Structures are given as C-alpha cells and as structure tokens.
Amino acid sequence: MGFFKEFKDDFSDAVGELVPDANYEGEEENLETSDDMVDTLDEEIDVDNELSKLDGLFEQVSKKVDNNETIAVTDTIEPEKEEKPEVKEEKKEEKKESNNMDTFQTYTPADTTSNTVSTPVSTTSNVASDENAVITKGMTITGNLESTGSINVEGTVNGDITCNGKLVIAGYVEGNSNSSEFFADSAKVVGEVNTTGTAKVGVGSVVVGNIVATSAVIAGAVKGDIDVQGPVVVDTSAVVVGNIKSRSVQINNGAVIEGFCSQTYADVDVEGLFG
C-alpha cells in the first residue's frame, strides 16, 4: 500500500513540473482524494482498479505532453529559419569588406618605383634584337637611321645608318654606316663602312669610302683603304683602289689592286728577322 502512494506522489510532482496547467490541478485533487480513500481502506484493496486509473493518467499526461512539445517545436523552428539568412548576409558583407581592404593594401606605391628603376637598362645594351627594318625599292629616306635590330635597304637612304644587327644594302646609301655585320649586294655606297664583324662587298657593288672590319671578302669595287684585323680575301672580280692593312691577304687571279698591301697585324716580327 505504501508503495502505490509514494509512486503516485512522485508521479504527480513530475507531471506538475512538465505540464503546469490549471486543469491538472483538479486531477491532483482527485489523486489526493483517491489517496485518502486508499488510506481508509487498509484492509481491502482492488489492485486492478488502481492500475487502470494509473493507465488512464498515463494516457492523459502523454497526450498533453505531446501537444505541448509540438507547439514548442514549431515555435522554436520558425524564428531560427528566419534568423539564419540574416547571419549569412552579414558574413558575406564582412567578406566583401575584407576583400576590398585587401585590394587597397596591394596597391602600394612601392611597385611603381620598382618599375621605373628597371626601364633604362635596354638603352645601353648593344645586343641585337630580332627586329628587321626593310626600306623598299620605291622608298627614299633623308636623314639618319638607328635600330637595335637589322636593316635591309633596298631603296635610297641619304644619311648615316646605325644598327646593332646586320646591315644589308641592295640600293643606294649616301652616308656612313655602323653595324655588327655589313653586306653590299649589287649596291652603291658612298661613305665609310665600320663593322664589328665581317664586311662583304658582292659582285656588282661599288663602295666609295674606307672599310674597317674584323674580316673582309671583296668581290666588287672599292675605292678606299681597307683596315681589317683578320684575313682579307680579294676575289677575281674585285677592284680595289687603296691600301690594304690586314693580318693576311688572299688575292685570287684576275683581281686588280692599286695600292699597298701590308700585313701589319701578323704575328711575325719582320724587323727582328732582318735585324
């Protein structure tokens, strides 16, 4: 008998904490009256009736608890769905602001100073570029020409020519020239030729001026002195009116030379031999 009473008290307290409802107060009063009745009936107890009452109370409490839980769940879920997109939007705005700040930080004036310092290097270098300027046959230029690459003259140039690459003349040039390699192909040149490489005067070409080079091959007509640090080849069709200073000279049959040939750059000590 004491077991059922303690169980009902504990159960009523637990239900009261879970479902605080005014209707439940009446049920607690019924429980208290039933407890009083149980106390009066110490000798005869109907166990089946007591168990059926407990089953009824379990069903009522479970229904109320289920209804309250569903209401609470729906109330809590709806505002959470509304708040989540607001939080995401705020985060996106923060990311955009942070990205904007990063872009402002990258644009520093240090980059501009580094670019300005590295620009004037190419002007002082004598390395020939891959550019090739062509002066066509119908073109006439009056003035000096300068190029970091090569120049091919098929027309007429009245002026000096300076290039880091190869200078090919197949037209008419009146002026001095400076290049890394010189080639006259059926051309007429009036002026001095200065090259750091080989000077070639092809058949049918006429050069009126001095030639300074490291090596030379003459197959045309040259009126001027030839000063070459290396070897000079005078072909059968060549006509040279002037002096030749070189390390060695090869004169083929049929060549015409009006001047002195001197191998001043040779390794042989001529004065020592006859001294």
Side-chain angles (χ1 to χ4, degrees), residues 114-255:
S114 62
N115 292 328
T116 56
V117 171
S118 61
T119 48
V121 176
S122 61
T123 57
T124 58
S125 63
N126 293 324
V127 178
S129 63
D130 295 333
E131 297 179 354
N132 188 11
V134 179
I135 310 301
T136 59
K137 291 182 180 180
M139 184 180 293
T140 300
I141 295 176
T142 301
N144 300 330
L145 294 178
E146 293 183 2
S147 175
T148 57
S150 300
I151 297 177
N152 189 353
V153 179
E154 296 177 358
T156 301
V157 176
N158 296 317
D160 298 337
I161 300 174
T162 302
C163 62
N164 294 336
K166 184 177 181 180
L167 176 59
V168 178
I169 300 174
Y172 176 79
V173 174
E174 185 176 353
N176 301 326
S177 63
N178 291 296
S179 61
S180 62
E181 188 175 354
F182 177 84
F183 178 50
D185 184 13
S186 299
K188 184 176 182 180
V189 178
V190 179
E192 294 184 357
V193 176
N194 189 352
T195 177
T196 58
T198 302
K200 297 179 181 179
V201 179
V203 179
S205 298
V206 177
V207 177
V208 179
N210 299 327
I211 297 175
V212 178
T214 56
S215 62
V217 177
I218 309 298
V222 176
K223 186 178 182 180
D225 296 335
I226 298 174
D227 189 350
V228 176
Q229 299 289 330
V232 174
V233 177
V234 182
D235 203 357
T236 57
S237 60
V239 175
V240 177
V241 179
N243 300 324
I244 299 175
K245 292 172 62 176
S246 64
R247 184 174 183 178
S248 63
V249 177
Q250 178 182 341
I251 302 173
N252 295 333
N253 293 330

Side-chain angles (χ1 to χ4, degrees), residues 27-28 97 145 270 273:
E27 293 179 358
E28 289 180 353
E97 291 178 358
L145 294 178
V270 177
L273 291 175

Side-chain angles (χ1 to χ4, degrees), residues 7-67:
F7 180 75
K8 287 180 181 180
D9 293 335
D10 295 335
F11 184 77
S12 63
D13 294 335
V15 171
E17 293 177 357
L18 291 173
V19 184
D21 192 4
N23 294 326
Y24 187 74
E25 292 177 357
E27 293 179 358
E28 289 180 353
E29 292 176 359
N30 294 326
L31 289 173
E32 289 177 358
T33 54
S34 63
D35 292 337
D36 295 336
M37 291 175 67
V38 171
D39 292 335
T40 55
L41 299 174
D42 292 334
E43 294 178 357
E44 295 180 359
I45 299 171
D46 190 354
V47 177
D48 294 331
N49 290 329
E50 295 296 330
L51 293 174
S52 64
K53 290 178 182 181
L54 291 174
D55 293 334
L57 290 173
F58 277 120
E59 292 177 357
Q60 292 177 1
V61 171
S62 62
K63 289 180 181 180
K64 290 181 180 181
V65 171
D66 293 334
N67 292 327

